[in-house]
Amino acid sequence: MGKNKLRKFKDLETNPLVLQYPFGVLKETGFPLKGKWHSEFFHNDLPIVLELGCGKGEYTVGLARRFPDKNFIGIDIKGARIWTGAMAAMRENIGNAAFVRTSIEWLESFFAPGEVSEIWITFPDPQMKKVNKRLTGTRFMEMYRRILAPGGVIHLKTDSPFLYTYTTLMARHNGLETVTDTDNLYATIAQDDPILNIRTHYEQQWLDRGLTIKYFAFKLGNGAPLAEPPGAEDIEPDTYRSYSRGYIECPQLLEEDE
């Protein structure tokens, strides 16, 4: 492991805004702040908003700066990624931001039923062949539903046509309430929106390559168990996902990439 990574991990251990609990510890003793985030960490009753797979924490920190009337928690398993946002929040003394280093599959170990008001899913791997790993799949949606307060909103921001199509089909098939839906965010509603104009590291890469950004916000509600949408297996895959994240296959850009 490089010295830079070791330094970042050491920084995270002393950063009061970062919580790291290995699964073994969670299984043995549980997470002490579960159900107590308001009273024992943020010391307020403001709504709690999660960013799942937060990466460098651009949304977590950006939203916390803009909205002091809410609390924001970034979730990611990669400590070296979290470091960027966590250190920025600590330097700026942003008291309504925090980071949890864990797998998204363990969310219910950290949050009690109804403790979360909103969830942001920003540029996740679309997991085109693994629906059970897909962060907008019904398996994960049922888990989100259990920790969300009534009326809680899910926000998906993605470059992936596949994931956008799948998620909108899933929501409509299950009769979920749509809040906002656009397949070309910056050509429609985002010009003056202080939330949607926060751009992540990967998002800027996709924009620089000429891809459009899709945004879909919806409410899960408390209805019947969610079902996978029929025909989801026929959704056209994202061709550029067959390559590394640094390369995007777009016919209009072949000359530039050669």
Side-chain angles (χ1 to χ4, degrees):
M1 185 181 294
K3 291 182 178 179
N4 192 42
K5 267 195 174 181
L6 290 173
R7 176 181 61 83
K8 289 182 176 181
F9 291 152
K10 187 174 181 180
D11 288 341
L12 292 180
E13 290 174 1
T14 59
N15 188 321
L17 302 181
V18 178
L19 298 104
Q20 305 182 82
Y21 281 77
F23 183 68
V25 175
L26 288 175
K27 189 174 181 180
E28 183 176 341
T29 64
F31 181 62
L33 292 177
K34 181 178 179 178
K36 302 176 182 178
W37 280 96
H38 288 110
S39 60
E40 297 189 12
F41 187 87
F42 291 114
H43 305 292
N44 61 49
D45 293 323
L46 301 176
I48 291 174
V49 182
L50 306 185
E51 183 193 3
L52 305 185
C54 69
K56 296 174 183 289
E58 294 100 327
Y59 252 83
T60 300
V61 175
L63 290 170
R65 288 184 184 123
R66 289 163 169 80
F67 298 95
D69 58 343
K70 294 182 180 181
N71 302 310
F72 298 90
I73 303 174
I75 312 288
D76 205 294
I77 194 65
K78 299 289 187 179
R81 294 177 185 170
I82 284 177
W83 180 88
T84 302
M87 298 307 292
M90 188 173 71
R91 283 194 307 270
E92 297 177 35
N93 195 29
I94 300 175
N96 63 327
F99 292 86
V100 175
R101 185 182 177 191
T102 189
S103 168
I104 294 169
E105 297 192 6
W106 302 344
L107 274 184
E108 288 182 281
S109 297
F110 292 88
F111 301 97
E115 195 168 22
V116 174
S117 294
E118 298 177 56
I119 292 176
W120 280 85
I121 306 172
T122 50
F123 300 92
D125 186 331
Q127 295 288 354
M128 290 179 286
K129 297 181 179 180
K130 301 176 182 177
V131 67
N132 282 339
K133 294 288 187 179
R134 204 172 295 158
L135 292 187
T136 61
T138 55
R139 170 179 171 244
F140 279 97
M141 287 294 153
E142 293 288 7
M143 180 176 63
Y144 306 154
R145 178 185 264 175
R146 290 191 289 270
I147 64 172
L148 276 172
V153 177
I154 304 286
H155 305 265
L156 171 68
K157 200 176 181 190
T158 182
D159 60 286
S160 167
F162 173 90
L163 188 62
Y164 167 75
T165 301
Y166 166 81
T167 307
T168 55
L169 284 176
M170 182 277 301
R172 288 162 188 159
H173 177 64
N174 288 284
L176 304 180
E177 179 184 346
T178 295
V179 177
T180 306
D181 180 6
T182 175
D183 63 358
N184 192 347
L185 181 63
Y186 295 110
T188 53
I189 63 175
Q191 290 84 350
D192 300 315
D193 192 309
I195 299 179
L196 298 178
N197 265 311
I198 300 171
R199 297 185 182 181
T200 71
H201 171 75
Y202 285 120
E203 177 177 7
Q204 193 58 55
Q205 287 187 347
W206 307 145
L207 288 169
D208 290 344
R209 294 285 187 157
L211 293 178
T212 60
I213 304 303
K214 298 95 172 80
Y215 172 64
F216 183 56
F218 58 100
K219 296 182 179 182
L220 281 176
N222 296 305
L226 301 174
E228 288 295 320
E233 65 278 4
D234 298 324
I235 299 172
E236 185 176 352
D238 303 330
T239 56
Y240 64 87
R241 292 284 173 175
S242 300
Y243 298 84
S244 70
R245 292 186 70 87
Y247 182 88
I248 300 173
E249 184 185 30
C250 298
Q252 69 272 29
L253 297 172
L254 288 179
E255 183 176 346
E256 174 189 328
D257 286 332
E258 290 176 349

